[in-house]
Each structure stands twice: as C-alpha cells, then as structure tokens.
Amino acid sequence: MKKEISICNITAKQGQKAQGFINILDTETKMPITIINGQKEGKTVLITAGVHGCEYPGIRTAIELSQEIDPKEVSGNIIIVHLVNMEGFEQRRAAVMPQDNKNILRVFPGDKNGTISDKIAHVITTELISKADYYFDIHGGDLHEELIPHIYYPAKAKKEVVNKCKEIAKHFNVGYYAPSNNINGTFTSAAVNQDVPSLLIERGGCGLCQEEEVNLYKDDMLNILSLLNMIEYKRCHKDFTPEEIKYAIYLDAVKDGCWTCFVDAGQSVKKGDKLGVISDYFGNIIDTYYAEFDSTILYNTVAYSVPKGSSLVAYGRV
C-alpha cells in the first residue's frame, strides 16, 4: 500500500480520509468521491453508486459508508464514488445522463473523445478501476422498477475471476445471484478487460429510499469488506442464502404503449403464466408476454408508460 493515494486532484495520506469532487476530463461535470487510505496494508476496493441518478438506496449507502468508515481501522484502500450521475440525480431523470440521453451502464469502458457518458465511463475505467482489486457497483432499482434484491456477476470473464465473483456473491443478504453475459457495461467491463472481480448489486426501487434497505445494504458492504480482511465487522442481518440463477430472460417493450404488469418482484411463476400486456392509446392490447418456464420474477416495471426498447420484466430459473 502506498503512503498516499491520489485520484485526479484528491489525495489521501496513509491513515486518512479525503473527500471532494473530481472533474470529468475537459467538462464541467463532477463526481463526489471519498478516498479512505487505511492505516495498514491491504486490498483496494472501489464502490460506485448512482450510475443511474434515481437509484437512491445505493447512493445513500455510499454516502453513509463514506462518513462512517474510520481509515485508522482499515487495512488497504476504499474508494467510494457517491454519485456517478449527478445531473440525473439533480434532475430526477431515470436511467440516463440528461446531457446525452445515454445509459452510462451501457457505454463502458468509455471513450475520452465521446459524449459526456462516454467520458464518465472512461474516467472510472482509467482512474478508478485501474487501481482496484475488487469493484462493487451498487444500484437501487430505478423510479419505474420494482425488484427483489439480487446480484449480477460477469459470466464472460476469466474462470478464476468468475469464481471469485460468485464466491463473494454468496455472502450477500440477497435472494439470488445471476450471470451477466455482457462484454461491456460497468462491472462486466472491469472484470472482462482488467481481470478485476466485480459485482453489480440491486436493492430497492420505485424511487424510495427506505432506511431499512439502506441499513441492509451497509451491512452487506461492511460484511464484504470484513470478508476481504479490510475491516473488522460482525454482520447484523443474514436472512437469505443466495441461490444462483442459471438462466434468465429480460423482456423489453417492442412498441411504445401502456404497460399493465400482472406479476410482482420475487413472485414465483409457472410456464405459460401471463406476465403483462401492452395496450395502445385506445386501450387495444398490442402485445402480451408469457413466462417461457417456471421461474422467479427478478424485477418488473411498475410504470404505465413504456417506450419502445425499455425494460418490462426479468425472470430467472434456479
């Protein structure tokens, strides 16, 4: 471990904590971060929140962790980005970065010559992930989403990286962990391109920021830091032993319309069960969606409005 760790214009000396905003290349866009430089040698963990600006439980979790963790009790380094998409947060824009209308989660590893979302991804990749031994991207279910707490791991990374990810996922207090077969994207890009074991965690939804969910989230993250021998912590909650989702289907709207969902997050469904329908603006049903196999609902859209290409429901089988 270095005596000090610097990210852009922020430096934390050994045994100290430093906080501030880092600028995104040549733009006026900023991200609030905390660098915790531990008193002892150890691993470096990166935690990012607010890739989607309205996923509040993850954002509040990151902010509170940055306040509560004492660097003198840490072995290694913890880098916390409280809020990746500040503009989306301030404007209450679900899923996308307002300036370019892109989903930051879909543009990693980024491009320094691209639009603002590409530049944000580039900075996270080159300035933050490059320093990390482990990466956790914490989400919170967006304004239009209801979900059961679950985790995604990067299935296309090297076998040893995948195995590390799956082993860590088992220690979270969530119902399920599922493979992500994307090559790019926030956490998958880190694992596939830089061999950094990475997980994307989902907890919360519907624009709510409930204290109980935040406390469960903090308990999970502190437990994982303890598992990595970075802090001493005795976990407060453990209600679930996660099960692995072997196969999942993610349904998107093929047309604009009005969505009526017939299932809830966490619900078990049978093959052939009706999941929901899309109607046109005169009330005529234009699409109907059915479960292709017995499964559990991971998340569903609760919004009535669904633009073409937007997510509707995801379900998976153990």
Side-chain angles (χ1 to χ4, degrees):
M1 185 178 68
K2 296 180 180 179
K3 293 292 184 181
E4 60 180 37
I5 177 172
S6 296
I7 298 172
C8 298
N9 56 318
I10 301 173
T11 299
K13 296 182 179 180
Q14 188 172 354
Q16 294 185 359
K17 179 189 300 185
Q19 297 182 312
F21 291 91
I22 61 172
N23 280 91
I24 303 302
L25 300 178
D26 57 349
T27 75
E28 296 182 359
T29 298
K30 299 181 291 186
M31 294 190 302
I33 76 165
T34 294
I35 305 170
I36 300 171
N37 190 346
Q39 191 70 46
K40 301 176 183 178
E41 297 285 335
K43 299 176 177 66
T44 297
V45 163
L46 169 64
I47 300 170
T48 58
V51 167
H52 300 136
C54 296
E55 299 191 351
Y56 302 132
I59 296 167
R60 181 173 166 184
T61 295
I63 291 171
E64 293 191 7
L65 287 176
S66 72
Q67 292 177 313
E68 296 169 7
I69 296 176
D70 184 350
K72 292 183 171 55
E73 298 176 356
V74 173
S75 297
N77 302 303
I78 306 170
I79 303 166
I80 304 174
V81 181
H82 310 175
L83 187 50
V84 170
N85 185 351
M86 266 186 56
E87 285 79 0
F89 178 82
E90 292 171 347
Q91 297 182 32
R92 296 180 186 169
R93 284 285 302 278
V96 299
M97 188 72 178
Q99 290 96 316
D100 59 10
N101 208 40
K102 288 183 180 179
N103 183 345
I104 299 173
L105 191 62
R106 300 291 181 261
V107 301
F108 277 76
D111 180 358
K112 66 180 180 181
N113 298 313
T115 63
I116 187 60
S117 292
D118 303 302
K119 291 180 178 182
I120 289 172
H122 175 79
V123 168
I124 292 175
T125 299
T126 58
E127 297 291 338
L128 304 178
I129 294 173
S130 62
K131 295 178 172 65
D133 297 305
Y134 291 87
Y135 175 32
F136 301 98
D137 188 21
I138 60 177
H139 288 247
D142 222 316
L143 293 174
H144 55 278
E145 293 175 339
E146 176 193 46
L147 59 83
I148 184 173
H150 62 282
I151 290 173
Y152 295 101
Y153 68 86
K156 296 298 184 180
K158 292 179 181 176
K159 184 176 180 179
E160 57 268 29
V161 175
V162 172
N163 289 340
K164 283 184 179 180
C165 294
K166 291 170 71 172
E167 184 56 38
I168 293 173
K170 294 174 185 177
H171 291 271
F172 278 82
N173 189 18
V174 303
Y176 303 95
Y177 61 102
S180 172
N181 293 306
N182 294 327
I183 299 299
N184 288 321
T186 311
F187 80 105
T188 52
S189 177
V192 173
N193 299 331
Q194 300 190 51
D195 296 332
V196 177
S198 312
L199 295 172
L200 187 153
I201 306 97
E202 292 275 13
R203 184 188 291 278
C206 299
L208 301 175
C209 190
Q210 297 175 327
E211 187 170 0
E212 180 182 2
E213 289 182 333
V214 173
N215 287 338
L216 287 169
Y217 227 149
K218 290 196 296 181
D219 184 51
D220 266 337
M221 298 312 302
L222 292 170
N223 180 62
I224 296 304
L225 292 172
S226 176
L227 182 72
L228 297 174
N229 299 312
M230 298 180 68
I231 63 172
E232 291 186 5
Y233 181 73
K234 184 177 181 180
R235 78 174 310 153
C236 303
H237 309 278
K238 189 68 169 86
D239 300 324
F240 301 100
T241 298
E243 296 182 279
E244 183 175 5
I245 295 291
K246 299 296 186 181
Y247 179 68
I249 287 182
Y250 304 90
L251 295 176
D252 294 334
V254 296
K255 302 172 184 175
D256 298 330
C258 306
W259 167 246
T260 301
C261 189
F262 300 139
V263 293
D264 298 316
Q267 180 179 333
S268 295
V269 296
K270 298 291 186 181
K271 180 179 178 180
D273 283 355
K274 188 183 294 187
L275 304 176
V277 297
I278 294 180
S279 303
D280 63 19
Y281 302 128
F282 299 94
N284 303 304
I285 294 176
I286 53 178
D287 279 305
T288 303
Y289 297 83
Y290 299 91
E292 295 185 16
F293 47 81
D294 294 357
S295 53
T296 298
I297 303 299
L298 296 175
Y299 65 78
N300 60 279
T301 290
V302 296
Y304 189 48
S305 166
V306 284
K308 179 180 178 181
S310 63
S311 63
L312 297 175
V313 63
Y315 58 97
R317 119 181 116 204
V318 175

